[in-house]
Amino acid sequence: MAVITHDSAEAILDNLRALVRRHREVSSTGSRQLSPGMLPDPLGALLSQLSAADSTRSTDLAEKLRVTVSTLSRQITHAESCGYIQRRPDPDDGRASLLSLTPLGVQTLIFHRRAQAQRLIDHLDGWAEEDAVDVACALDRLRRSTCPESHAAH
């Protein structure tokens, strides 16, 4: 197997950094005004993480989101007041709660993801579908090669 050069690795890293900056411009983080259907990033990330599991504890969720439990607690309170998530007692630990999406939370997340996709489509005006598929495949390959936990899932 051939080894890539430092120059190629640096070019990949430079492009990844630029891609993150571009993502912020396209996503709600970089927007002064959210597109219809889009959620602020912390709320979108919270709902996305909850959609990946049937239910989870806030401590596990905080770790996945890489935020403090107190920060997450404020986000949970907001999401709960909006009707996006529900708490229920953890049968294994009476002191803990399990969090899950409500039907409204699921529907809101679907609309959020569609709005994000539409915003990206608008930014990539003129791209051919084949080009988008090629980029998606290359990014998936990069993600799988850099995330050991994703190897076990594939």
Side-chain angles (χ1 to χ4, degrees), residues 1-5 141:
M1 177 188 308
V3 176
I4 65 171
T5 66
R141 181 178 175 201

Side-chain angles (χ1 to χ4, degrees), residues 41-50 61 65 72 75-76 79 85:
D41 276 353
L43 187 54
L46 172 62
L47 298 186
S48 290
Q49 279 298 323
L50 281 174
L61 194 54
L65 291 169
L72 181 64
Q75 293 171 356
I76 289 169
I85 65 171

Side-chain angles (χ1 to χ4, degrees), residues 7-128:
D7 287 344
S8 294
E10 288 175 13
I12 290 170
L13 290 171
D14 287 345
N15 280 297
L16 284 172
R17 287 183 200 101
L19 186 60
V20 168
R21 283 191 303 275
R22 184 69 172 148
H23 168 70
R24 287 186 182 128
E25 292 170 9
V26 172
S27 75
S28 57
T29 301
S31 309
R32 295 210 190 282
Q33 182 177 8
L34 295 176
S35 295
M38 289 181 72
L39 300 168
D41 276 353
L43 187 54
L46 172 62
L47 298 186
S48 290
Q49 279 298 323
L50 281 174
S51 75
D54 287 337
S55 58
T56 188
R57 289 182 178 180
S58 59
T59 52
D60 297 333
L61 194 54
E63 184 178 315
K64 288 178 184 175
L65 291 169
R66 297 186 174 139
V67 297
T68 65
V69 174
S70 64
T71 297
L72 181 64
S73 178
R74 288 188 297 277
Q75 293 171 356
I76 289 169
T77 299
H78 175 69
E80 193 173 26
S81 71
C82 292
Y84 300 147
I85 65 171
Q86 63 185 0
R87 297 179 208 235
R88 62 183 181 11
D90 183 343
D92 297 329
D93 181 351
R95 298 169 296 158
S97 295
L98 294 175
L99 305 168
S100 59
L101 290 177
T102 63
L104 177 61
V106 170
Q107 201 64 327
T108 300
L109 182 59
I110 290 168
F111 288 136
H112 172 70
R113 288 178 173 167
R114 287 182 183 160
Q116 282 184 316
Q118 185 58 53
R119 191 155 183 172
L120 181 61
I121 289 167
D122 294 345
H123 280 279
L124 299 179
D125 186 34
W127 278 48

